[in-house]
Amino acid sequence: GLLKGNKTEQADAQQAYIQAKLGGTETWVEIPEEGWPEEWKANGPPCARPCARLVQALYGHPDSGTFWEKHAHQKLLELGFQPAAEAWPSCYLHPEYDMFLVLYVDDFLMSGPEDKMAKMWELIADCLNIDEPGPMHLYLGCIHEEAAIDIDGKTIRTITFNQESFFEDKLEKYKDLCKTK
């Protein structure tokens, strides 16, 4: 993303898990009263404990992450992305657009040619529900800070992975546990 003519952006999947169908063992859930249709609220439910088969992956279900991952992977393959390497299952390359994409749970980070970036995000958004992409910032608990410095008359683009706030938070938790200043 720091190469001339390139950039890096990020986006989050909106309610990632429920974008995927739940597979595997059938799961049934009891419908809480706040989810009842108006007719049930007025006349009572059709049975004492109304249930429904869970069709979409749902946060809290132990297999939801797996089905979201498979769903997103399949959609990215359909767009022409290819796995970067067998050992890096969350990293993808798009040979036509020269893009590199990392998908970690519901966080997308993509680097490549600036003039192709918007089109690639548009293609992804056509098949996966994502937030509006934007510049790098907080990704995997780390603040990404892009800058430029001059070295010997040449401008060099840099990126700093700033974990200062993460470190300060952990230090405060440590001090609280140890009852120390």
Side-chain angles (χ1 to χ4, degrees):
L2 295 177
L3 295 173
K4 187 175 183 173
N6 289 303
K7 71 179 190 175
T8 301
E9 290 185 343
Q10 68 183 61
D12 289 341
Q14 294 180 0
Q15 299 183 329
Y17 288 3
I18 63 173
Q19 293 185 46
K21 297 283 185 201
L22 187 63
T25 304
E26 271 189 20
T27 300
W28 288 77
V29 293
E30 185 172 349
I31 303 170
E33 194 168 331
E34 59 268 16
W36 291 0
E38 291 303 320
E39 178 185 325
W40 291 6
K41 290 176 184 175
N43 304 320
C47 57
R49 293 179 61 194
C51 295
R53 182 169 177 246
L54 190 59
V55 176
Q56 299 302 122
L58 185 67
Y59 287 88
H61 187 285
D63 290 332
S64 289
T66 301
F67 288 105
W68 156 249
E69 185 179 297
K70 288 178 180 180
H71 173 74
H73 175 77
Q74 185 58 43
K75 295 297 182 185
L76 293 173
L77 292 179
E78 290 170 11
L79 291 175
F81 279 98
Q82 301 170 356
E86 188 175 332
W88 294 12
S90 61
C91 299
Y92 298 86
L93 299 168
H94 195 289
E96 180 184 347
Y97 284 79
D98 295 323
M99 293 292 171
F100 178 71
L101 174 72
V102 178
L103 173 57
Y104 184 80
V105 186
D106 61 352
D107 296 321
F108 293 82
L109 187 71
M110 188 162 58
S111 296
E114 189 169 0
D115 62 338
K116 297 176 183 174
M117 186 71 63
K119 180 61 178 174
M120 192 77 260
W121 282 123
E122 182 182 313
L123 292 171
I124 293 171
D126 283 346
C127 63
L128 294 169
N129 192 2
I130 61 172
D131 288 334
E132 191 66 32
M136 286 184 300
H137 184 62
L138 183 64
Y139 186 78
L140 303 182
C142 183
I143 297 173
H144 295 67
E145 300 168 342
E146 191 174 340
I149 58 172
D150 286 323
I151 298 178
D152 297 329
K154 292 184 180 180
T155 301
I156 308 295
R157 292 171 64 194
T158 66
I159 186 162
T160 300
F161 301 101
N162 183 341
Q163 290 188 295
E164 186 174 347
S165 61
F166 177 81
F167 176 74
E168 288 173 351
D169 178 62
K170 299 307 169 221
L171 186 58
E172 288 302 315
K173 286 181 181 171
Y174 175 79
K175 290 183 337 186
D176 287 346
L177 288 170
C178 295
K179 310 286 190 235
T180 184
K181 294 181 183 182

